[in-house]
Amino acid sequence: PTKIFVGEWATRVGSPTPSMAGALGDAAWMCCLERNTDIVLMHCFAPLFVNVSQVNGSDRSMQWASDLIGYDALTSYGSPSYYVQKMFSPHAGDEVLATSAQNLPTRAASAGRGGGTRQIKSLFYSATRDAASGKITLKIVNSSDTSQPVTIDISGVKSVAAKGTETVLKAANRRETNSIKDPKHVVPVTEKVKGLATSFTRTFPPCSVTVLELNAN
């Protein structure tokens, strides 16, 4: 089959760098890319860098809005979308696992220029496995404004260890973002979790991207 390189893509929400809304869109898109890595071999975010020294006026320092990383003469910061990239990159197995879902939640979103709202899916996911270690990595994106309990059933393994690792990027709402003055406002947090098994229920916080690592045999 034809192999695909998805070049220069981005969810362009927020300026001069993406807000959490952009990060959620990016993560949802990347889950879909990951589930189709038999044909999607490479992809890249663009634009990457923006000078935020002067973001307004005719002589502004930026050319494109919603760049991944902002900088000035002295320092730099990563947007929420940057941290999504950072979370996804090291957490990819060498096998894409088959997944299916039932009763996916939805949320209201703008219908575009015509006005009004429409219902869109608010939960996105992917699953991979490292063949050597057996580790399973789940990525769950909850783009809604409410927490979402999800029951996860894993088949084809003998057991899943009760303890694992969870990395979560979340914000109070989709408008939150990072900046030169507040570079770490929205950053991922990693912690140990328990209560995992071949079947378990976990609640994912609103406006969040979660990478859940399971140790399976």
Side-chain angles (χ1 to χ4, degrees), residues 8-23:
E8 297 199 20
W9 67 266
T11 306
R12 308 195 68 186
V13 181
S15 180
T17 52
S19 63
M20 189 63 191

Side-chain angles (χ1 to χ4, degrees), residues 104-122:
L104 286 174
T106 61
R107 65 177 178 88
S110 171
R113 295 181 180 179
T117 60
R118 60 191 177 98
Q119 292 297 121
I120 63 172
K121 188 167 64 172
S122 64

Side-chain angles (χ1 to χ4, degrees), residues 18-173:
S19 63
M20 189 63 191
L24 292 167
D26 290 344
W29 167 246
M30 290 169 69
C31 281
C32 296
L33 291 179
E34 192 167 82
R35 298 210 314 266
N36 289 277
T37 50
D38 56 329
I39 57 174
V40 180
L41 300 187
M42 298 185 296
H43 66 87
C44 66
F45 188 104
L48 286 180
F49 298 103
V50 57
N51 187 331
V52 298
S53 300
Q54 183 175 333
V55 297
N56 298 308
S58 59
D59 58 345
R60 66 182 190 174
S61 59
M62 57 182 277
Q63 181 178 11
W64 307 106
S66 294
D67 302 68
L68 196 65
I69 298 168
Y71 70 93
D72 62 11
L74 299 177
T75 188
S76 63
Y77 71 94
S79 65
S81 287
Y82 163 80
Y83 287 106
V84 164
Q85 297 280 340
K86 192 173 181 180
M87 290 169 66
F88 271 60
S89 179
H91 296 110
D94 50 17
E95 296 178 350
V96 178
L97 300 182
T99 54
S100 62
Q102 297 178 346
N103 303 318
L104 286 174
T106 61
R107 65 177 178 88
S110 171
R113 295 181 180 179
T117 60
R118 60 191 177 98
Q119 292 297 121
I120 63 172
K121 188 167 64 172
S122 64
L123 197 73
F124 303 86
Y125 56 89
S126 66
T128 61
R129 176 180 177 270
D130 181 81
S133 66
K135 178 182 289 185
I136 294 174
T137 300
L138 304 179
K139 298 181 179 77
I140 304 289
V141 182
N142 180 16
S143 67
S144 73
D145 296 317
T146 58
S147 298
Q148 184 62 50
V150 178
T151 298
I152 298 170
D153 295 311
I154 301 171
S155 60
V157 297
K158 295 179 180 179
S159 64
V160 171
K163 295 181 180 180
T165 303
E166 182 180 69
T167 301
V168 181
L169 179 74
K170 64 180 180 179
N173 57 66

